[in-house]
Amino acid sequence: MFSRIDHIGVAVEEIEPALELYRDRLELEVAHREVVEQQGVEAVLLDVGENHVELLAPLGADTPVGKFLAKQGPGLHHVAYQVSDIDSALRALKQAGIRLIDEQPRPGIRGSRVAFVHPRATGGVLTEIVQPAAEPR
Ligand code: CO
């Protein structure tokens, strides 16, 4: 079902200091930057070979990432697996009895379609599945 790790999501308080670390000192290349109002985040994708690190900064305290930061502080937020067909992946997960946060895919960054699996269903690891846009980048 999963073809590879698409990205690792990292929650940060602010994008610029995180870019100073990931882009300037760790020398990862910024592939994409986008504000996703619907998810209450500004997201930056950095290339790591075929995979990515996704930096997530909350647009406000009352957003999922804002609440995560208040509770846990900055750090690892989620793991995202890539799929070629998110609708059939969601059906398969449901059939396997995996509890989902998103029953239907929603718009992700860079034209992708994404859905989150409930962390209680995946041993405490917040898990995202991603179907990339047909023509990424
Ligand atoms: Co993500």
Side-chain angles (χ1 to χ4, degrees):
M1 178 171 13
F2 300 150
S3 47
R4 63 175 156 101
I5 300 282
D6 186 273
H7 63 266
I8 304 290
V10 176
V12 303
E13 301 277 2
E14 287 178 60
I15 288 292
E16 288 309 323
L19 281 176
E20 197 271 325
L21 172 62
Y22 281 89
R23 179 194 58 203
D24 301 341
R25 294 164 70 198
L26 301 180
E27 302 185 347
L28 302 183
E29 197 176 321
V30 172
H32 186 75
R33 184 167 183 162
E34 185 172 334
V35 171
V36 189
E37 298 281 352
Q38 199 206 7
Q39 293 181 32
V41 291
E42 178 168 12
V44 175
L45 271 189
L46 300 113
D47 287 334
V48 189
E50 294 189 327
N51 314 95
H52 302 94
V53 171
E54 179 184 65
L55 303 176
L56 299 165
L59 298 180
D62 195 27
T63 60
V65 174
K67 289 174 189 164
F68 176 92
L69 287 170
K71 213 169 144 189
Q72 320 218 19
L76 201 53
H77 183 261
H78 66 270
V79 175
Y81 295 95
Q82 194 176 105
V83 298
S84 55
D85 179 349
I86 196 169
D87 299 295
S88 76
L90 285 175
R91 275 196 301 275
L93 289 169
K94 253 168 134 173
Q95 229 158 39
I98 306 282
R99 187 169 156 205
L100 303 173
I101 292 176
D102 301 307
E103 301 268 328
Q104 299 295 328
R106 49 173 152 147
I109 62 172
R110 225 167 33 163
S112 62
R113 298 170 74 213
V114 307
F116 280 89
V117 177
H118 201 284
R120 291 241 172 83
T122 43
V125 179
L126 181 59
T127 299
E128 178 184 10
I129 58 177
V130 181
Q131 178 184 326
E135 294 284 322
R137 81 190 62 204

